[in-house]
Amino acid sequence: MASEKILILNKDQIRKKITRIAYQILEDNFEEKEIVLAGVAERGYVLARRLKEELRKISSVINVTLINISLNKISSTLQAETDISVNEAKDKVVILVDDVLNSGRTLAYGLGVFLNVPLRKMRTAVLIDRSHHKFPVVSDFSGHKLSTILNEHVSVTLEGFEDEEDAAYLH
């Protein structure tokens, strides 16, 4: 029996959540001249790119650097690559961005990428926070908090990554 796919967020709702998260990031960093958005490949990076665009619309003061983090999510040790050096984040605010926070493992690995870099501050931003954390990782900025049972799955589709329209589903 195929699991039923339930729409959680549609395209317009996702756009509004990204705008709200951008305002929260700006409010949390109103004294900063530059921040780094580090998106976890693939969907986290797409969200980070959209957050950068939104921040550009709402602030002419803050400069945003994007870093794309590719993680081996099934490895038991941290294996990561970035498209630019993590030293670009030195003494800056870093916001680690992903689509869904489930167990916290992916964000924990993402945070690990910056362990040897002195930062001003580290925050996390996710589109959906499932509240099933196994790791002590929380979302500082989240578009939607969702309590689910463990055997349910949340999937996000994003234009620019998949051929589908922006949406988030529970199945």
Side-chain angles (χ1 to χ4, degrees), residues 32 58 64 93 98 130 136 156 162:
E32 299 297 327
I58 62 177
V64 180
V93 173
D98 203 6
R130 280 196 61 200
V156 174
E162 289 99 356

Side-chain angles (χ1 to χ4, degrees), residues 76-139:
S76 60
T77 60
L78 175 60
Q79 295 178 10
E81 294 180 8
T82 57
D83 62 341
I84 63 173
S85 171
V86 293
N87 289 321
E88 292 293 321
K90 184 178 179 185
D91 299 322
K92 296 175 187 160
V93 173
V94 174
I95 295 132
L96 184 63
V97 182
D98 203 6
D99 59 340
V100 179
L101 171 54
N102 185 22
S103 69
R105 181 185 193 121
T106 300
L107 285 182
Y109 277 8
L111 295 168
V113 170
F114 296 96
L115 282 180
N116 295 321
V117 180
L119 305 175
R120 287 184 52 79
K121 174 169 57 174
M122 175 67 105
R123 296 284 187 259
T124 58
V126 295
L127 184 60
I128 297 175
D129 184 341
R130 280 196 61 200
S131 306
H132 286 294
H133 310 168
K134 292 180 185 174
F135 290 78
V137 176
V138 296
S139 58

Side-chain angles (χ1 to χ4, degrees), residues 7-18 127:
L7 182 68
I8 302 168
L9 297 172
N10 63 29
K11 181 178 182 171
D12 188 52
Q13 291 168 320
I14 288 174
R15 183 186 52 76
K16 288 176 182 174
K17 300 289 185 189
I18 290 170
L127 184 60

Side-chain angles (χ1 to χ4, degrees), residues 26-74:
L26 187 60
E27 289 169 5
D28 188 54
N29 298 288
F30 68 93
E31 293 180 338
E32 299 297 327
K33 297 283 185 237
E34 184 173 4
I35 63 169
V36 174
L37 294 176
V40 177
E42 301 286 333
R43 290 173 199 87
Y45 185 70
V46 172
L47 287 170
R49 243 186 9 239
R50 291 187 188 178
L51 283 167
K52 179 180 179 175
E53 292 168 11
E54 199 62 39
L55 285 163
R56 189 178 294 146
K57 289 179 193 173
I58 62 177
S59 172
S60 60
V61 178
I62 200 162
N63 184 34
V64 180
T65 301
L66 276 177
I67 296 178
N68 189 0
I69 302 174
S70 298
L71 296 172
N72 181 342
K73 296 178 185 180
I74 58 171

